[in-house]
Amino acid sequence: QVQLVESGGGLVQAGGSLRLSCAASGRTFSSLTMGWFRQAPGKEREFVAAISWTGSNTYYANSVKGRFSISRGNAKNTVLLQMNSLILEDTAVYYCAARTARDYGHYTPDYDYWGQGTKVTVSS
C-alpha cells in the first residue's frame, strides 16, 4: 500500500506560480513512477506530468510543457510540481498518483494509488 498526501494548492493570480508537494508513505518510494493529474469542474481527470522512478526521465502534457516542472526527492519521499505562468485553464483539483510499474504511463488506469487532491484556483 502507498499513501499519498498532496499540499500546496491555493488561489493565485494568472501569471503567478505555485508549488505542489506530494508526500508518500508505505511502499518503497524510490521504486515508484510518480505522476500528477488534474480534474477541472465538469471535465475528466487528465494527465499533467510524470517522473520515472530514477528521476532521470520526465513527461509533460503539451498544455503545461515549458511552464510546469516535476521533480522528486527520494530521500524525503516527496514529489513536487512547480507551476509557473499559471493561466485560468490551470484551475483544477490536482492529484498525485503512484505507479508500481517502472515504465511511463499517462492514463488514469496506469496508476495504482491516488491522493485526495489539492485545489488550485487561478484568478484573472
Side-chain angles (χ1 to χ4, degrees):
Q1 285 291 327
V2 176
Q3 293 77 44
L4 303 172
V5 179
E6 304 96 334
S7 61
L11 175 65
V12 62
Q13 284 193 325
S17 298
L18 275 177
R19 187 174 73 170
L20 305 184
S21 180
C22 173
S25 61
R27 188 184 177 120
T28 304
F29 177 75
S30 59
S31 68
L32 300 170
T33 297
M34 300 299 297
W36 285 95
F37 287 72
R38 67 186 182 186
Q39 188 166 16
K43 295 189 177 181
E44 293 192 354
R45 195 169 298 188
E46 65 175 5
F47 171 77
V48 175
I51 187 166
S52 64
W53 65 282
T54 62
S56 58
N57 295 300
T58 56
Y59 313 90
Y60 297 94
N62 287 335
S63 59
V64 306
K65 200 171 293 184
R67 300 189 297 120
F68 290 12
S69 176
I70 187 171
S71 60
R72 66 188 297 158
N74 286 346
K76 296 184 178 181
N77 288 6
T78 58
V79 60
L80 304 176
L81 185 67
Q82 178 67 42
M83 306 187 296
N84 299 326
S85 303
L86 285 161
I87 60 177
L88 298 180
E89 292 75 15
D90 294 322
T91 295
V93 176
Y94 283 72
Y95 297 90
C96 177
R99 171 173 167 81
T100 54
R102 291 189 172 180
D103 56 338
Y104 160 62
H106 62 275
Y107 296 107
T108 53
D110 293 335
Y111 289 79
D112 305 291
Y113 303 98
W114 293 85
Q116 293 299 306
T118 185
K119 187 174 182 179
V120 172
T121 303
V122 183
S123 64
S124 59

